[in-house]
Amino acid sequence: MKLQAAPFSKPVLFFIIPSLKGGGAERVIISLANYFNRNNFQSVLISLNNDIPAYEIENDVKVFYLTDRQKSRFIDRVYHITETFYKLVKLLRTVRPVCTLSFITSANIWTGITCSLTRIPYIVSERTSPDRSVISFNYLHKHLALNLYKRAAAVVVSAKGVEDCLLNDKDFKILNNIQRITNAVTVFQSSSDEKVHHRRFILGVGRLAYVKGFDILIEAYAKTSLKDVDLIIIGDGEERANLVAQIFNLGLKERVLLPGSRSNLQDYYSQAEMYVLPSRNEGYPNALVEAMSFGCPSVAFDCNFGPAEIISNNENGLLVNNASVTDLSEAMLRLASDPVLRNELGTKARIISETNHPDKILGEWEALMKKHAATSAIPVQLTSSQPAL
Protein backbone atom coordinates (compact mmCIF):
# COMPACT_ATOMS: atom_id res chain seq x y z
CA MET A 1 0.00 0.00 0.00
CA LYS A 2 1.61 3.23 -1.13
CA LEU A 3 0.99 6.94 -1.40
CA GLN A 4 -0.01 7.87 -4.92
CA ALA A 5 0.95 11.28 -6.29
CA ALA A 6 -2.41 12.09 -7.87
CA PRO A 7 -3.81 15.53 -6.98
CA PHE A 8 -6.62 15.88 -4.51
CA SER A 9 -9.57 18.05 -5.44
CA LYS A 10 -9.21 19.73 -2.03
CA PRO A 11 -6.23 21.10 -0.04
CA VAL A 12 -4.92 18.76 2.68
CA LEU A 13 -4.79 19.44 6.42
CA PHE A 14 -2.86 17.26 8.88
CA PHE A 15 -4.15 16.70 12.44
CA ILE A 16 -1.53 15.13 14.74
CA ILE A 17 -2.06 13.75 18.26
CA PRO A 18 -0.26 11.17 20.44
CA SER A 19 -3.25 8.82 20.50
CA LEU A 20 -6.85 8.59 19.32
CA LYS A 21 -8.15 6.69 22.34
CA GLY A 22 -10.63 8.31 24.72
CA GLY A 23 -10.08 11.81 26.07
CA GLY A 24 -11.17 15.42 25.65
CA ALA A 25 -8.33 16.39 23.31
CA GLU A 26 -8.97 13.34 21.15
CA ARG A 27 -12.66 14.18 20.87
CA VAL A 28 -11.90 17.77 19.84
CA ILE A 29 -9.28 16.96 17.21
CA ILE A 30 -11.45 14.24 15.65
CA SER A 31 -14.35 16.71 15.55
CA LEU A 32 -12.10 19.24 13.82
CA ALA A 33 -10.89 16.69 11.27
CA ASN A 34 -14.48 15.67 10.50
CA TYR A 35 -15.56 19.31 10.21
CA PHE A 36 -12.80 20.42 7.85
CA ASN A 37 -13.23 17.29 5.75
CA ARG A 38 -16.86 18.33 5.13
CA ASN A 39 -15.83 21.91 4.35
CA ASN A 40 -13.53 22.02 1.34
CA PHE A 41 -10.47 20.29 2.85
CA GLN A 42 -9.09 16.77 2.90
CA SER A 43 -8.39 15.86 6.52
CA VAL A 44 -5.60 13.47 7.49
CA LEU A 45 -5.51 12.28 11.12
CA ILE A 46 -2.11 11.09 12.32
CA SER A 47 -1.79 9.22 15.60
CA LEU A 48 1.73 8.79 16.96
CA ASN A 49 0.60 5.54 18.62
CA ASN A 50 -1.49 2.67 17.32
CA ASP A 51 -4.69 2.84 19.39
CA ILE A 52 -8.32 2.16 18.59
CA PRO A 53 -10.15 5.50 18.10
CA ALA A 54 -12.66 6.24 20.85
CA TYR A 55 -14.82 8.54 18.72
CA GLU A 56 -16.37 8.32 15.27
CA ILE A 57 -14.10 9.29 12.38
CA GLU A 58 -15.94 9.98 9.15
CA ASN A 59 -15.15 7.67 6.23
CA ASP A 60 -13.44 10.23 4.01
CA VAL A 61 -10.95 11.24 6.71
CA LYS A 62 -7.63 9.46 6.18
CA VAL A 63 -6.03 7.93 9.29
CA PHE A 64 -2.39 6.97 9.86
CA TYR A 65 -0.78 5.28 12.87
CA LEU A 66 2.97 5.84 13.04
CA THR A 67 4.18 3.25 15.55
CA ASP A 68 3.05 0.64 18.04
CA ARG A 69 4.67 1.34 21.42
CA GLN A 70 4.18 -1.97 23.21
CA LYS A 71 7.68 -2.36 24.70
CA SER A 72 9.63 0.01 26.95
CA ARG A 73 13.22 -1.25 26.61
CA PHE A 74 15.78 1.42 25.67
CA ILE A 75 16.41 -0.14 22.26
CA ASP A 76 12.67 -0.21 21.58
CA ARG A 77 12.30 3.45 22.51
CA VAL A 78 15.14 4.37 20.14
CA TYR A 79 13.44 2.39 17.39
CA HIS A 80 10.07 4.06 17.99
CA ILE A 81 11.65 7.54 17.96
CA THR A 82 13.42 6.78 14.68
CA GLU A 83 10.30 5.24 13.16
CA THR A 84 8.10 8.19 14.17
CA PHE A 85 10.54 10.75 12.78
CA TYR A 86 11.02 8.92 9.47
CA LYS A 87 7.32 8.26 8.85
CA LEU A 88 6.18 11.75 9.79
CA VAL A 89 8.79 13.46 7.59
CA LYS A 90 7.92 11.09 4.74
CA LEU A 91 4.22 11.90 5.03
CA LEU A 92 4.84 15.64 5.17
CA ARG A 93 7.18 15.59 2.16
CA THR A 94 4.93 13.33 0.10
CA VAL A 95 1.57 14.91 0.87
CA ARG A 96 2.59 18.55 1.43
CA PRO A 97 -0.39 19.62 3.57
CA VAL A 98 -1.31 23.30 3.49
CA CYS A 99 -1.19 23.37 7.29
CA THR A 100 -0.67 21.02 10.24
CA LEU A 101 -2.44 21.19 13.59
CA SER A 102 -1.24 19.21 16.60
CA PHE A 103 -2.69 18.65 20.07
CA ILE A 104 -0.79 17.80 23.29
CA THR A 105 2.84 18.59 24.03
CA SER A 106 4.57 15.45 22.72
CA ALA A 107 2.77 15.71 19.39
CA ASN A 108 3.45 19.46 19.32
CA ILE A 109 7.20 18.85 19.55
CA TRP A 110 7.16 16.19 16.82
CA THR A 111 5.09 18.50 14.63
CA GLY A 112 7.38 21.47 15.23
CA ILE A 113 10.54 19.53 14.40
CA THR A 114 9.25 17.83 11.26
CA CYS A 115 7.29 20.79 9.90
CA SER A 116 10.30 23.07 10.41
CA LEU A 117 12.41 20.62 8.39
CA THR A 118 9.83 20.35 5.62
CA ARG A 119 8.85 24.05 5.64
CA ILE A 120 5.16 23.47 6.27
CA PRO A 121 3.08 25.89 8.40
CA TYR A 122 2.06 24.41 11.72
CA ILE A 123 -0.16 25.27 14.67
CA VAL A 124 0.28 23.69 18.10
CA SER A 125 -2.21 23.48 20.94
CA GLU A 126 -1.67 23.06 24.68
CA ARG A 127 -4.71 21.29 26.12
CA THR A 128 -3.90 21.21 29.85
CA SER A 129 -1.80 22.97 32.47
CA PRO A 130 1.67 23.88 31.10
CA ASP A 131 3.00 23.42 34.64
CA ARG A 132 2.57 19.69 34.04
CA SER A 133 4.10 19.71 30.55
CA VAL A 134 6.38 22.21 28.81
CA ILE A 135 7.18 24.31 31.89
CA SER A 136 8.21 21.23 33.88
CA PHE A 137 10.71 20.00 31.27
CA ASN A 138 14.47 19.98 31.83
CA TYR A 139 16.45 22.90 30.40
CA LEU A 140 17.23 21.42 26.96
CA HIS A 141 13.79 19.92 26.42
CA LYS A 142 12.05 23.10 27.57
CA HIS A 143 14.05 25.36 25.26
CA LEU A 144 13.48 23.01 22.34
CA ALA A 145 9.74 23.31 22.95
CA LEU A 146 10.00 27.08 23.36
CA ASN A 147 11.84 27.52 20.04
CA LEU A 148 9.34 25.31 18.23
CA TYR A 149 6.38 27.18 19.78
CA LYS A 150 7.94 30.52 18.75
CA ARG A 151 8.10 29.31 15.14
CA ALA A 152 4.51 28.05 15.12
CA ALA A 153 1.91 30.04 13.21
CA ALA A 154 -0.10 29.99 16.44
CA VAL A 155 -0.13 28.41 19.89
CA VAL A 156 -3.77 27.67 20.66
CA VAL A 157 -5.00 27.33 24.23
CA SER A 158 -8.51 26.43 25.34
CA ALA A 159 -8.58 28.48 28.57
CA LYS A 160 -7.29 31.86 29.69
CA GLY A 161 -5.64 30.15 32.64
CA VAL A 162 -3.48 28.09 30.29
CA GLU A 163 -2.44 31.27 28.46
CA ASP A 164 -1.65 33.05 31.74
CA CYS A 165 0.38 30.08 32.94
CA LEU A 166 2.53 30.14 29.81
CA LEU A 167 3.05 33.89 29.89
CA ASN A 168 3.90 33.89 33.60
CA ASP A 169 6.86 31.61 32.93
CA LYS A 170 10.16 33.48 32.56
CA ASP A 171 10.95 31.71 29.27
CA PHE A 172 7.56 31.33 27.60
CA LYS A 173 6.53 34.92 28.38
CA ILE A 174 8.14 35.97 25.07
CA LEU A 175 5.47 34.13 23.06
CA ASN A 176 3.38 36.57 21.01
CA ASN A 177 1.42 34.04 18.94
CA ILE A 178 -0.98 32.65 21.55
CA GLN A 179 -4.63 32.40 20.55
CA ARG A 180 -7.49 31.22 22.75
CA ILE A 181 -10.26 29.03 21.32
CA THR A 182 -12.54 27.32 23.83
CA ASN A 183 -14.09 23.91 23.28
CA ALA A 184 -17.40 23.58 21.48
CA VAL A 185 -20.41 21.84 22.93
CA THR A 186 -20.46 18.24 21.73
CA VAL A 187 -23.39 17.42 19.46
CA PHE A 188 -25.09 14.25 20.69
CA GLN A 189 -28.00 12.22 19.40
CA SER A 190 -31.33 12.92 21.06
CA SER A 191 -31.70 11.60 24.59
CA SER A 192 -33.66 8.41 25.16
CA ASP A 193 -36.55 7.99 27.59
CA GLU A 194 -35.14 4.65 28.68
CA LYS A 195 -33.71 4.76 32.19
CA VAL A 196 -29.95 4.21 32.44
CA HIS A 197 -30.15 3.50 36.19
CA HIS A 198 -32.95 2.41 38.50
CA ARG A 199 -32.14 4.96 41.23
CA ARG A 200 -31.20 8.63 41.49
CA PHE A 201 -27.52 9.10 40.72
CA ILE A 202 -24.62 11.53 40.73
CA LEU A 203 -22.51 11.45 37.56
CA GLY A 204 -18.78 11.63 36.91
CA VAL A 205 -17.34 11.36 33.39
CA GLY A 206 -13.74 11.06 32.22
CA ARG A 207 -10.62 9.00 31.89
CA LEU A 208 -9.90 6.97 35.00
CA ALA A 209 -6.58 8.69 35.66
CA TYR A 210 -5.13 10.20 38.83
CA VAL A 211 -5.36 13.75 37.49
CA LYS A 212 -9.13 13.36 37.06
CA GLY A 213 -9.56 13.02 40.82
CA PHE A 214 -12.20 10.29 40.92
CA ASP A 215 -10.65 8.97 44.13
CA ILE A 216 -11.52 12.35 45.69
CA LEU A 217 -15.04 12.14 44.32
CA ILE A 218 -15.57 8.67 45.80
CA GLU A 219 -14.25 9.81 49.18
CA ALA A 220 -16.45 12.91 49.12
CA TYR A 221 -19.48 10.83 48.13
CA ALA A 222 -18.83 8.48 51.07
CA LYS A 223 -18.82 11.49 53.44
CA THR A 224 -22.27 12.61 52.23
CA SER A 225 -23.81 9.40 53.64
CA LEU A 226 -26.49 9.68 50.95
CA LYS A 227 -28.58 6.52 50.99
CA ASP A 228 -30.95 7.15 48.09
CA VAL A 229 -28.49 8.53 45.51
CA ASP A 230 -25.84 6.38 43.81
CA LEU A 231 -22.60 7.48 42.13
CA ILE A 232 -21.84 6.46 38.53
CA ILE A 233 -18.46 7.21 36.97
CA ILE A 234 -18.33 6.74 33.19
CA GLY A 235 -14.92 6.05 31.62
CA ASP A 236 -11.93 3.73 31.50
CA GLY A 237 -8.27 4.10 32.39
CA GLU A 238 -5.24 3.04 34.37
CA GLU A 239 -6.72 3.91 37.79
CA ARG A 240 -9.64 1.49 37.53
CA ALA A 241 -8.12 -1.15 39.83
CA ASN A 242 -7.28 1.42 42.50
CA LEU A 243 -10.77 2.91 42.34
CA VAL A 244 -12.39 -0.53 42.58
CA ALA A 245 -10.29 -1.25 45.68
CA GLN A 246 -11.24 2.10 47.20
CA ILE A 247 -14.94 1.45 46.58
CA PHE A 248 -14.66 -2.01 48.19
CA ASN A 249 -12.77 -0.70 51.22
CA LEU A 250 -15.41 1.99 51.79
CA GLY A 251 -18.21 -0.57 51.57
CA LEU A 252 -19.74 1.16 48.56
CA LYS A 253 -19.65 -1.57 45.90
CA GLU A 254 -23.47 -1.56 45.60
CA ARG A 255 -23.72 2.24 45.31
CA VAL A 256 -20.64 3.37 43.34
CA LEU A 257 -20.58 2.00 39.80
CA LEU A 258 -17.81 2.01 37.20
CA PRO A 259 -19.57 0.78 34.04
CA GLY A 260 -16.75 1.76 31.66
CA SER A 261 -17.19 3.90 28.57
CA ARG A 262 -20.68 4.50 27.22
CA SER A 263 -21.87 5.69 23.81
CA ASN A 264 -25.10 7.17 25.20
CA LEU A 265 -23.64 9.86 27.44
CA GLN A 266 -26.55 12.11 26.54
CA ASP A 267 -28.88 9.82 28.51
CA TYR A 268 -26.66 9.95 31.59
CA TYR A 269 -26.34 13.75 31.44
CA SER A 270 -30.09 14.23 31.03
CA GLN A 271 -31.03 11.82 33.86
CA ALA A 272 -28.36 12.56 36.50
CA GLU A 273 -29.22 14.51 39.64
CA MET A 274 -25.96 16.38 39.17
CA TYR A 275 -22.62 16.18 37.40
CA VAL A 276 -19.37 16.46 39.41
CA LEU A 277 -15.93 17.43 38.06
CA PRO A 278 -13.32 16.45 40.71
CA SER A 279 -10.21 17.00 38.55
CA ARG A 280 -6.91 17.99 40.12
CA ASN A 281 -5.97 19.78 36.87
CA GLU A 282 -7.78 20.54 33.64
CA GLY A 283 -7.36 22.45 30.40
CA TYR A 284 -10.96 23.22 29.48
CA PRO A 285 -13.13 20.31 30.62
CA ASN A 286 -15.33 18.95 27.82
CA ALA A 287 -17.47 16.82 30.11
CA LEU A 288 -18.41 19.84 32.23
CA VAL A 289 -19.51 21.74 29.13
CA GLU A 290 -21.45 18.71 27.91
CA ALA A 291 -23.25 18.22 31.22
CA MET A 292 -24.22 21.88 31.47
CA SER A 293 -25.54 21.89 27.90
CA PHE A 294 -28.06 19.25 28.99
CA GLY A 295 -29.12 21.38 31.95
CA CYS A 296 -27.45 19.02 34.40
CA PRO A 297 -26.65 20.98 37.60
CA SER A 298 -22.90 20.80 38.04
CA VAL A 299 -20.28 20.96 40.78
CA ALA A 300 -16.59 21.45 39.97
CA PHE A 301 -13.32 21.96 41.76
CA ASP A 302 -11.85 25.39 41.11
CA CYS A 303 -8.76 23.75 39.65
CA ASN A 304 -6.26 24.91 37.04
CA PHE A 305 -7.69 25.51 34.47
CA GLY A 306 -11.13 26.01 32.98
CA PRO A 307 -13.90 25.49 35.56
CA ALA A 308 -13.79 29.09 36.84
CA GLU A 309 -14.11 30.30 33.24
CA ILE A 310 -17.18 28.11 32.71
CA ILE A 311 -19.01 28.26 36.05
CA SER A 312 -20.14 31.41 37.83
CA ASN A 313 -20.49 30.15 41.39
CA ASN A 314 -24.09 29.84 42.59
CA GLU A 315 -25.38 31.08 39.23
CA ASN A 316 -24.95 28.30 36.67
CA GLY A 317 -23.15 25.80 38.90
CA LEU A 318 -21.13 25.37 42.07
CA LEU A 319 -17.38 25.91 42.39
CA VAL A 320 -15.60 24.46 45.43
CA ASN A 321 -12.07 24.79 46.77
CA ASN A 322 -9.68 22.66 44.78
CA ALA A 323 -9.08 19.14 46.16
CA SER A 324 -11.18 19.77 49.28
CA VAL A 325 -13.02 16.55 50.09
CA THR A 326 -15.13 18.30 52.74
CA ASP A 327 -16.21 21.16 50.48
CA LEU A 328 -17.06 18.81 47.64
CA SER A 329 -19.08 16.57 49.95
CA GLU A 330 -21.03 19.52 51.32
CA ALA A 331 -21.77 20.86 47.82
CA MET A 332 -23.02 17.46 46.66
CA LEU A 333 -25.21 17.09 49.73
CA ARG A 334 -26.57 20.62 49.25
CA LEU A 335 -27.57 19.95 45.65
CA ALA A 336 -28.97 16.49 46.35
CA SER A 337 -31.34 17.89 48.98
CA ASP A 338 -32.46 21.05 47.11
CA PRO A 339 -34.50 20.42 43.92
CA VAL A 340 -35.18 24.16 43.50
CA LEU A 341 -31.45 24.92 43.42
CA ARG A 342 -30.84 22.07 40.99
CA ASN A 343 -33.47 23.45 38.66
CA GLU A 344 -32.15 27.02 38.85
CA LEU A 345 -28.54 26.02 38.20
CA GLY A 346 -29.49 23.61 35.43
CA THR A 347 -31.62 26.19 33.62
CA LYS A 348 -28.83 28.76 33.57
CA ALA A 349 -26.24 26.13 32.69
CA ARG A 350 -27.98 25.48 29.35
CA ILE A 351 -26.85 28.91 28.11
CA ILE A 352 -23.46 27.34 27.39
CA SER A 353 -25.07 25.72 24.34
CA GLU A 354 -25.13 29.21 22.83
CA THR A 355 -21.80 30.62 24.04
CA ASN A 356 -19.95 27.44 23.00
CA HIS A 357 -22.06 26.59 19.96
CA PRO A 358 -20.13 24.43 17.44
CA ASP A 359 -20.75 26.89 14.59
CA LYS A 360 -19.04 29.65 16.56
CA ILE A 361 -16.07 27.62 17.82
CA LEU A 362 -15.45 25.72 14.58
CA GLY A 363 -15.66 29.01 12.70
CA GLU A 364 -12.82 30.35 14.84
CA TRP A 365 -10.71 27.28 14.03
CA GLU A 366 -11.50 27.62 10.33
CA ALA A 367 -10.47 31.27 10.26
CA LEU A 368 -7.20 30.43 12.02
CA MET A 369 -6.32 27.51 9.74
CA LYS A 370 -7.14 29.44 6.56
CA LYS A 371 -5.11 32.42 7.75
CA HIS A 372 -1.95 30.36 8.08
CA ALA A 373 -2.40 27.74 5.34
CA ALA A 374 0.29 27.66 2.65
CA THR A 375 -1.43 28.50 -0.63
CA SER A 376 1.41 27.07 -2.70
CA ALA A 377 1.30 23.53 -1.29
CA ILE A 378 0.22 20.80 -3.74
CA PRO A 379 -1.77 18.02 -2.08
CA VAL A 380 -1.61 14.39 -3.21
CA GLN A 381 -4.05 11.50 -3.18
CA LEU A 382 -3.90 9.04 -0.28
CA THR A 383 -5.21 5.61 -1.22
CA SER A 384 -4.72 3.77 2.06
CA SER A 385 -5.09 4.24 5.81
CA GLN A 386 -1.53 2.95 6.24
CA PRO A 387 1.40 4.25 4.15
CA ALA A 388 4.18 1.99 2.95
CA LEU A 389 6.95 3.86 4.71
Side-chain angles (χ1 to χ4, degrees):
M1 295 182 287
K2 298 180 179 180
L3 297 174
Q4 303 296 323
F8 267 125
S9 59
K10 300 185 293 185
V12 179
L13 294 174
F14 275 14
F15 299 86
I16 304 176
I17 195 166
S19 168
L20 290 174
K21 62 184 180 181
E26 291 79 5
R27 183 192 289 274
V28 173
I29 204 168
I30 288 174
S31 296
L32 286 170
N34 289 339
Y35 170 80
F36 278 100
N37 206 67
R38 295 191 301 266
N39 289 274
N40 301 316
F41 288 92
Q42 171 63 58
S43 294
V44 178
L45 266 170
I46 299 174
S47 174
L48 301 184
N49 298 298
N50 188 6
D51 296 300
I52 298 174
Y55 309 106
E56 182 181 358
I57 300 173
E58 296 179 4
N59 290 335
D60 290 340
V61 175
K62 306 298 180 182
V63 183
F64 290 85
Y65 303 95
L66 297 190
T67 190
D68 192 0
R69 288 178 168 84
Q70 296 297 326
K71 299 178 181 178
S72 58
R73 296 180 305 171
F74 175 76
I75 188 65
D76 296 310
R77 292 198 298 271
V78 172
Y79 174 79
H80 293 320
I81 289 171
T82 304
E83 182 182 33
T84 299
F85 176 79
Y86 173 77
K87 287 185 175 181
L88 193 49
V89 169
K90 177 86 173 195
L91 274 171
L92 288 164
R93 284 179 171 168
T94 305
V95 181
R96 301 298 302 177
V98 296
C99 193
T100 292
L101 170 65
S102 62
F103 274 23
I104 303 178
T105 308
S106 59
N108 293 343
I109 291 174
W110 276 115
T111 297
I113 292 171
T114 55
C115 285
S116 294
L117 289 172
T118 53
R119 298 181 181 276
I120 290 172
Y122 64 95
I123 297 168
V124 300
S125 183
E126 280 292 325
R127 310 304 299 179
T128 188
S129 172
D131 283 331
R132 298 173 51 237
S133 56
V134 288
I135 291 177
S136 67
F137 288 164
N138 63 43
Y139 179 85
L140 291 177
H141 200 177
K142 181 179 181 181
H143 281 78
L144 170 63
L146 174 60
N147 286 324
L148 295 173
Y149 281 28
K150 283 166 54 180
R151 297 178 188 175
V155 177
V156 178
V157 298
S158 53
K160 185 178 185 299
V162 176
E163 178 180 3
D164 292 342
C165 185
L166 280 172
L167 295 180
N168 286 337
D169 180 78
K170 64 182 179 64
D171 297 311
F172 282 89
K173 67 181 181 181
I174 65 172
L175 291 180
N176 59 5
N177 56 349
I178 297 177
Q179 181 160 339
R180 184 165 18 119
I181 302 178
T182 59
N183 291 346
V185 172
T186 303
V187 177
F188 290 97
Q189 295 180 353
S190 298
S191 302
S192 169
D193 292 330
E194 184 177 350
K195 290 287 186 181
V196 296
H197 190 61
H198 64 285
R199 282 162 43 97
R200 298 168 65 200
F201 65 93
I202 296 167
L203 180 65
V205 176
R207 192 175 76 257
L208 303 186
Y210 176 79
V211 70
K212 295 299 183 180
F214 291 121
D215 57 318
I216 304 175
L217 173 57
I218 293 169
E219 185 179 354
Y221 170 77
K223 285 178 67 68
T224 65
S225 298
L226 287 167
K227 301 299 183 184
D228 61 339
V229 185
D230 294 337
L231 172 61
I232 300 177
I233 301 174
I234 303 295
D236 283 310
E238 62 272 18
E239 284 293 305
R240 170 175 284 277
N242 291 333
L243 297 176
V244 168
Q246 181 186 16
I247 292 167
F248 180 81
N249 292 335
L250 290 170
L252 297 173
K253 64 179 182 178
E254 302 299 327
R255 292 163 49 207
V256 179
L257 308 177
L258 303 176
S261 298
R262 288 291 182 267
S263 59
N264 61 331
L265 274 177
Q266 67 273 19
D267 297 331
Y268 287 88
Y269 287 136
S270 60
Q271 296 176 32
E273 294 292 299
M274 71 188 79
Y275 166 80
V276 180
L277 181 86
S279 297
R280 291 177 165 91
N281 290 282
E282 276 290 348
Y284 190 90
N286 282 324
L288 177 59
V289 173
E290 292 169 357
M292 292 173 66
S293 73
F294 280 92
C296 185
S298 298
V299 183
F301 276 146
D302 188 9
C303 66
N304 295 336
F305 297 102
E309 298 176 39
I310 298 169
I311 289 180
S312 295
N313 192 32
N314 289 309
E315 292 185 19
N316 62 347
L318 299 179
L319 277 178
V320 300
N321 292 325
N322 194 23
S324 172
V325 173
T326 300
D327 289 354
L328 182 58
S329 178
E330 290 175 354
M332 293 162 62
L333 190 57
R334 176 187 174 196
L335 263 187
S337 59
D338 191 340
V340 174
L341 179 61
R342 292 201 303 273
N343 182 66
E344 290 176 351
L345 296 180
T347 298
K348 292 180 180 178
R350 290 182 185 273
I351 297 173
I352 203 165
S353 295
E354 301 172 11
T355 59
N356 289 49
H357 194 281
D359 289 348
K360 173 181 179 292
I361 304 303
L362 292 171
E364 293 177 10
W365 277 108
E366 185 171 4
L368 178 65
M369 297 288 275
K370 286 182 175 179
K371 177 181 178 181
H372 296 292
T375 57
S376 61
I378 302 174
V380 301
Q381 178 66 54
L382 298 180
T383 59
S384 165
S385 63
Q386 290 290 351
L389 298 173

